[in-house]
Amino acid sequence: MTYLAADARYDAMPYRRCGRSGLKLPAISLGLWHNFGLAKDLETQRDIVRAAFDLGVTHFDLANNYGPPPGAAEENFGRLFDADLRPYRDELIVSTKAGYLMHPGPYGEWGSRKYLVSSLDASLRRLGLDYVDVFYHHRPDPDTPIEETMGALDSLVRQGKALYAGVSNYSPEQTREAAGVLAELGTPLLIHQPSYSMVNRWIEDGLQDVLDEVGAGSIAFSPLAQGLLTDRYLDGIPADSRAAGASPFLNAERITEQQLTLTRGLNEVARQRGQTLAQLALAWVLRGERVTSALIGASSVKQLTDNVAATGNLDFADGELAEIERLLGGN
């Protein structure tokens, strides 16, 4: 059956201007990191992508190495785009990245012009697109001059293969330097994609100020701390959970009594606000609009819908923020 997007798709989702650019992003964006590889059912992926767009999620975020295996998420999104979303291309923001290990050899990772240019070409083939809206350098390269890396991003924008340039995982100092190089080349830094959550607040120590200074937006990944800031772990570690497995991103050692006390306290704040813990965590990341968008993953339509519902209450009373700070205790 031919997919027709919901007529009301723009009625509820807030959209925020990205830095000083003309581009607006949805408050909630969908990341295709964990749940869009070959090991996952394509029809479930299709249901999630359709539901996301119907809810006003116009931004779909990928990277060359997302899978597993690397490249699989782009290939699957390309299939879904071709089947359902191609008529809506002008309503979509599709982003991808390069920087982490993609293939063996000296040209398969980091930040050389060779790697970035060939990587985006391969991403466009997998996605079935003529261009991506945002192309990110995925992580700083300690060996390649930043002029070469940013020069590659600038070239790709000028060639029309990407509309905007971004960086991810850069420190405040690296971000300022990257933005300066790009400004000299005439391609502004649009956006930074850092990790950020209630229990991972590193961007508050300088990065947000730098982004304000250079006029770039931000999109926070892992705002739910890999599931830690959900009701999944309120009573310990479920046998079928990520923390119970061999995930390098969340393991049983992080589910301490101190962490359980924190999440239960935050859950009570969420309950009083009429939200789930996950909705509270997303709303908190988006508070005050210094963060342009929060990047979520989803393994089901229900999980996606529940998380997007966080946008229904993004305002905090002073007392709520004070109680959250007390619970976090300097995290």
Side-chain angles (χ1 to χ4, degrees):
M1 182 179 295
T2 301
Y3 166 69
L4 294 176
D7 290 338
R9 59 189 177 277
Y10 297 119
D11 289 358
M13 175 66 69
Y15 297 87
R16 296 178 169 186
R17 191 169 301 281
C18 192
R20 291 197 288 266
S21 78
L23 183 69
K24 291 184 177 181
L25 295 180
I28 301 293
S29 298
L30 181 63
L32 282 72
W33 181 13
H34 283 308
N35 299 304
F36 288 81
L38 296 186
K40 303 294 184 178
D41 177 64
L42 188 62
E43 283 306 307
T44 299
Q45 297 178 38
R46 187 181 193 184
D47 291 342
I48 293 169
V49 168
R50 284 179 163 191
F53 189 47
D54 285 343
L55 290 168
V57 176
T58 54
H59 181 204
F60 298 89
D61 181 76
L62 299 115
N64 60 350
N65 65 334
Y66 287 177
E74 289 181 330
E75 289 175 357
N76 280 343
F77 183 77
R79 294 185 181 100
L80 301 177
F81 174 85
D82 198 50
D84 295 326
L85 296 179
R86 190 170 293 279
Y88 304 99
R89 177 65 183 100
D90 291 344
E91 299 181 44
L92 301 178
I93 301 297
V94 180
S95 61
T96 196
K97 316 175 198 72
Y100 284 98
L101 182 63
M102 183 59 188
H103 57 76
Y107 320 118
E109 61 178 329
W110 295 112
S112 70
R113 178 182 292 271
K114 166 69 174 176
Y115 172 55
L116 295 182
V117 171
S118 63
S119 177
L120 182 53
D121 284 343
S123 290
L124 292 174
R125 288 193 296 271
R126 287 189 291 267
L127 292 165
L129 299 177
D130 297 324
Y131 68 94
V132 293
D133 297 272
V134 186
F135 185 53
Y136 291 88
H137 185 223
H138 208 166
R139 61 170 171 172
D141 184 341
D143 298 318
T144 302
I146 200 165
E147 291 81 3
E148 177 177 342
T149 302
M150 295 304 111
L153 296 184
D154 171 71
S155 294
L156 291 166
V157 169
R158 291 180 183 280
Q159 292 169 23
K161 295 178 180 179
L163 301 186
Y164 298 96
V167 297
S168 182
N169 298 303
Y170 274 49
S171 71
E173 296 76 16
Q174 291 165 332
T175 302
R176 181 182 285 113
E177 186 177 6
V181 172
L182 283 170
E184 290 181 1
L185 294 170
T187 297
L189 176 67
L190 173 79
I191 193 167
H192 187 301
Q193 186 174 134
S195 60
Y196 183 47
S197 72
M198 285 178 162
V199 295
N200 176 17
R201 301 176 65 173
W202 73 275
I203 74 169
E204 296 174 11
D205 188 21
L207 180 60
Q208 288 183 315
D209 292 337
V210 169
L211 295 177
D212 289 344
E213 171 191 323
V214 302
S218 62
I219 178 168
F221 75 84
S222 296
L224 303 180
Q226 298 294 318
L228 193 61
L229 295 172
T230 71
D231 59 10
R232 190 86 163 112
Y233 300 101
L234 290 175
D235 298 313
I237 305 175
D240 61 345
S241 67
R242 181 177 295 168
S247 171
F249 305 107
L250 181 64
N251 55 51
E253 294 178 358
R254 290 191 62 187
I255 316 298
T256 63
E257 282 303 316
Q258 181 181 5
Q259 181 62 52
L260 289 172
T261 298
L262 169 62
T263 52
R264 288 164 182 162
L266 293 171
N267 189 60
E268 178 58 24
V269 176
R271 187 191 66 78
Q272 293 176 10
R273 284 170 51 86
Q275 292 182 315
T276 66
L277 176 54
Q279 290 167 349
L280 171 73
L282 290 167
W284 183 88
V285 163
L286 292 165
R287 73 198 187 286
E289 300 199 13
R290 291 195 83 181
V291 170
T292 312
S293 183
L295 190 58
I296 64 167
S299 58
S300 68
V301 170
K302 182 181 185 305
Q303 184 183 46
L304 169 79
T305 303
D306 289 348
N307 286 345
V308 170
T311 62
N313 185 8
L314 297 178
D315 296 324
F316 286 85
D318 290 343
E320 291 173 331
L321 290 174
E323 175 62 7
I324 290 169
E325 287 298 323
R326 185 190 70 79
L327 290 167
L328 292 176
N331 273 322

Short mmCIF file of all heavy atoms in Angstrom, two decimals, residues 195-205 284 287 324-325 328-331:
data_model
loop_
_atom_site.label_atom_id
_atom_site.label_comp_id
_atom_site.label_asym_id
_atom_site.label_seq_id
_atom_site.Cartn_x
_atom_site.Cartn_y
_atom_site.Cartn_z
N SER A 195 27.38 14.07 22.96
CA SER A 195 26.60 13.33 23.94
C SER A 195 26.18 14.29 25.05
O SER A 195 26.93 15.19 25.43
CB SER A 195 27.43 12.18 24.53
OG SER A 195 28.60 12.68 25.16
N TYR A 196 24.95 14.13 25.55
CA TYR A 196 24.46 15.01 26.60
C TYR A 196 23.24 14.39 27.25
O TYR A 196 22.32 13.94 26.56
CB TYR A 196 24.10 16.38 26.01
CG TYR A 196 23.64 17.41 27.04
CD1 TYR A 196 24.36 17.61 28.22
CD2 TYR A 196 22.51 18.18 26.81
CE1 TYR A 196 23.95 18.57 29.13
CE2 TYR A 196 22.10 19.15 27.72
CZ TYR A 196 22.82 19.34 28.88
OH TYR A 196 22.42 20.28 29.80
N SER A 197 23.26 14.35 28.56
CA SER A 197 22.11 13.84 29.31
C SER A 197 22.23 14.34 30.74
O SER A 197 23.21 14.99 31.12
CB SER A 197 22.08 12.31 29.31
OG SER A 197 23.12 11.78 30.13
N MET A 198 21.25 14.03 31.55
CA MET A 198 21.27 14.39 32.96
C MET A 198 22.51 13.86 33.67
O MET A 198 22.98 14.48 34.63
CB MET A 198 20.02 13.86 33.66
CG MET A 198 18.75 14.61 33.37
SD MET A 198 17.36 13.83 34.22
CE MET A 198 16.16 15.17 34.16
N VAL A 199 23.02 12.72 33.24
CA VAL A 199 24.18 12.12 33.91
C VAL A 199 25.47 12.28 33.09
O VAL A 199 26.48 11.68 33.41
CB VAL A 199 23.92 10.62 34.21
CG1 VAL A 199 22.78 10.47 35.21
CG2 VAL A 199 23.61 9.84 32.93
N ASN A 200 25.42 13.11 32.06
CA ASN A 200 26.60 13.36 31.22
C ASN A 200 26.51 14.80 30.74
O ASN A 200 26.02 15.08 29.66
CB ASN A 200 26.64 12.38 30.05
CG ASN A 200 27.79 12.66 29.11
OD1 ASN A 200 28.74 13.37 29.43
ND2 ASN A 200 27.71 12.11 27.90
N ARG A 201 27.01 15.72 31.57
CA ARG A 201 26.75 17.15 31.37
C ARG A 201 27.99 17.91 30.88
O ARG A 201 28.10 19.11 31.08
CB ARG A 201 26.23 17.76 32.67
CG ARG A 201 24.96 17.09 33.15
CD ARG A 201 24.48 17.59 34.49
NE ARG A 201 24.08 18.99 34.46
CZ ARG A 201 23.49 19.60 35.48
NH1 ARG A 201 23.22 18.94 36.59
NH2 ARG A 201 23.18 20.88 35.39
N TRP A 202 28.89 17.22 30.21
CA TRP A 202 30.17 17.84 29.88
C TRP A 202 30.03 19.07 28.98
O TRP A 202 30.86 19.98 29.04
CB TRP A 202 31.10 16.81 29.22
CG TRP A 202 30.74 16.45 27.80
CD1 TRP A 202 29.84 15.52 27.40
CD2 TRP A 202 31.27 17.02 26.61
NE1 TRP A 202 29.78 15.47 26.03
CE2 TRP A 202 30.64 16.38 25.51
CE3 TRP A 202 32.23 18.01 26.35
CZ2 TRP A 202 30.94 16.69 24.19
CZ3 TRP A 202 32.51 18.32 25.02
CH2 TRP A 202 31.88 17.67 23.97
N ILE A 203 28.98 19.13 28.18
CA ILE A 203 28.86 20.25 27.24
C ILE A 203 28.57 21.57 27.96
O ILE A 203 28.75 22.65 27.39
CB ILE A 203 27.81 20.00 26.16
CG1 ILE A 203 26.39 20.10 26.69
CG2 ILE A 203 28.05 18.67 25.48
CD1 ILE A 203 25.34 20.11 25.59
N GLU A 204 28.13 21.48 29.23
CA GLU A 204 27.86 22.70 29.99
C GLU A 204 29.15 23.39 30.42
O GLU A 204 29.11 24.55 30.84
CB GLU A 204 27.00 22.36 31.21
CG GLU A 204 25.62 21.83 30.84
CD GLU A 204 24.82 21.36 32.05
OE1 GLU A 204 25.26 21.63 33.20
OE2 GLU A 204 23.78 20.72 31.86
N ASP A 205 30.27 22.67 30.34
CA ASP A 205 31.56 23.23 30.76
C ASP A 205 32.30 23.80 29.56
O ASP A 205 33.41 23.37 29.23
CB ASP A 205 32.39 22.14 31.44
CG ASP A 205 33.67 22.70 32.08
OD1 ASP A 205 33.71 23.92 32.34
OD2 ASP A 205 34.61 21.91 32.30
N TRP A 284 14.33 17.78 29.85
CA TRP A 284 15.41 18.46 30.56
C TRP A 284 16.54 18.83 29.59
O TRP A 284 17.07 19.94 29.65
CB TRP A 284 15.93 17.57 31.68
CG TRP A 284 16.99 18.20 32.52
CD1 TRP A 284 16.83 18.97 33.63
CD2 TRP A 284 18.41 18.10 32.30
NE1 TRP A 284 18.05 19.36 34.13
CE2 TRP A 284 19.04 18.85 33.33
CE3 TRP A 284 19.20 17.46 31.35
CZ2 TRP A 284 20.42 18.96 33.42
CZ3 TRP A 284 20.58 17.58 31.44
CH2 TRP A 284 21.18 18.33 32.46
N ARG A 287 15.51 21.85 27.68
CA ARG A 287 15.10 23.02 28.45
C ARG A 287 15.87 24.26 27.98
O ARG A 287 17.04 24.20 27.65
CB ARG A 287 15.34 22.79 29.95
CG ARG A 287 16.82 22.85 30.34
CD ARG A 287 17.10 22.21 31.68
NE ARG A 287 18.49 22.45 32.10
CZ ARG A 287 19.54 21.84 31.57
NH1 ARG A 287 19.39 20.96 30.59
NH2 ARG A 287 20.76 22.11 32.03
N ILE A 324 15.70 18.58 40.67
CA ILE A 324 16.53 17.76 39.77
C ILE A 324 18.01 17.98 40.08
O ILE A 324 18.79 17.02 40.15
CB ILE A 324 16.20 18.08 38.30
CG1 ILE A 324 14.80 17.56 37.96
CG2 ILE A 324 17.25 17.47 37.36
CD1 ILE A 324 14.27 18.04 36.62
N GLU A 325 18.42 19.24 40.27
CA GLU A 325 19.82 19.52 40.60
C GLU A 325 20.21 18.87 41.92
O GLU A 325 21.31 18.34 42.07
CB GLU A 325 20.06 21.02 40.65
CG GLU A 325 20.08 21.71 39.30
CD GLU A 325 21.19 21.21 38.41
OE1 GLU A 325 22.30 20.92 38.92
OE2 GLU A 325 20.96 21.08 37.19
N LEU A 328 20.67 15.17 41.22
CA LEU A 328 21.86 14.90 40.43
C LEU A 328 23.12 15.09 41.24
O LEU A 328 24.15 14.43 40.99
CB LEU A 328 21.88 15.81 39.19
CG LEU A 328 20.80 15.53 38.15
CD1 LEU A 328 20.86 16.55 37.02
CD2 LEU A 328 20.91 14.11 37.59
N GLY A 329 23.10 16.02 42.20
CA GLY A 329 24.24 16.18 43.10
C GLY A 329 25.55 16.45 42.41
O GLY A 329 26.61 15.95 42.80
N GLY A 330 25.49 17.25 41.33
CA GLY A 330 26.74 17.61 40.67
C GLY A 330 27.15 16.70 39.55
O GLY A 330 28.23 16.81 39.00
N ASN A 331 26.27 15.71 39.16
CA ASN A 331 26.59 14.84 38.01
C ASN A 331 26.81 15.66 36.75
O ASN A 331 26.15 16.63 36.54
CB ASN A 331 25.45 13.84 37.76
CG ASN A 331 25.61 12.59 38.60
OD1 ASN A 331 26.72 12.10 38.79
ND2 ASN A 331 24.50 12.09 39.13
#
